[in-house]
Amino acid sequence: MSRLVSKALRQQVAARAVFRCEYCLVPERFLATTFHVDHVRSIKHGGATVLDNLAFACPHCNQNKGSDVATFTDDEGQNTIRLYNPRLDDWGLHFEVVNGSISSISPIGMATVKLLEFNQPDRIIFRQALIASGMY
Ligand SMILES: [Zn+2]
């Protein structure tokens, strides 16, 4: 199965996301780096390179997510919960933004905030600046 995302498919993914990261909602045009096309369900977990399995992601979110699809909810490693899926889930049912920080309002949100490290200090400061200028 191909991992390659064609230029046309990338454009479809980006346009559907309105050129924002589908995980942290930061707009691509304000970052100095090119956004990635994420396989929501990674190839090693059986995901395909098709529009319904792809998401537009900033480098921070994509690198932290990697090929993960779930994480542990307890220190003992007995229980797991899947990550937020932009193709299935409504962002507003899992997260809220408070002073530039992204808070979880569901267990899926909590797992995703933690794993994707949404609230690293520099990311919060960046979102605060975007909010102050009406761009987030
Ligand atoms: Zn992001």
Side-chain angles (χ1 to χ4, degrees), residues 30-60:
F30 297 110
L31 281 184
T33 58
T34 303
F35 277 24
H36 302 175
V37 174
D38 171 56
H39 285 78
V40 177
R41 180 174 171 176
S42 57
I43 290 171
K44 79 178 188 185
H45 290 293
T49 305
V50 295
L51 190 60
D52 285 347
N53 186 45
L54 299 174
F56 203 51
C58 74
H60 303 290

Side-chain angles (χ1 to χ4, degrees), residues 92-136:
L93 296 178
H94 298 282
F95 311 102
E96 64 183 1
V97 180
V98 179
N99 298 327
S101 179
I102 298 176
S103 300
S104 60
I105 54 176
S106 74
I108 287 172
M110 187 169 58
T112 306
V113 166
K114 179 179 144 198
L115 198 76
L116 274 58
E117 300 183 2
F118 282 167
N119 294 316
Q120 289 178 331
D122 57 332
R123 297 181 76 182
I124 293 173
I125 291 167
F126 183 61
R127 281 193 297 269
Q128 287 171 334
L130 289 175
I131 290 167
S133 58
M135 302 299 175
Y136 185 92

Side-chain angles (χ1 to χ4, degrees), residues 7 24 30 43 50 60 63 65 69 71 83-84 115 123:
K7 199 169 182 178
C24 73
F30 297 110
I43 290 171
V50 295
H60 303 290
Q63 286 164 8
K65 179 178 174 285
V69 293
T71 191
L83 299 176
Y84 170 75
L115 198 76
R123 297 181 76 182

Side-chain angles (χ1 to χ4, degrees), residues 21-26 57-58 60-62 118 123:
C21 175
E22 296 190 72
Y23 294 100
C24 73
L25 306 185
V26 166
C58 74
H60 303 290
C61 288
N62 197 41
F118 282 167
R123 297 181 76 182

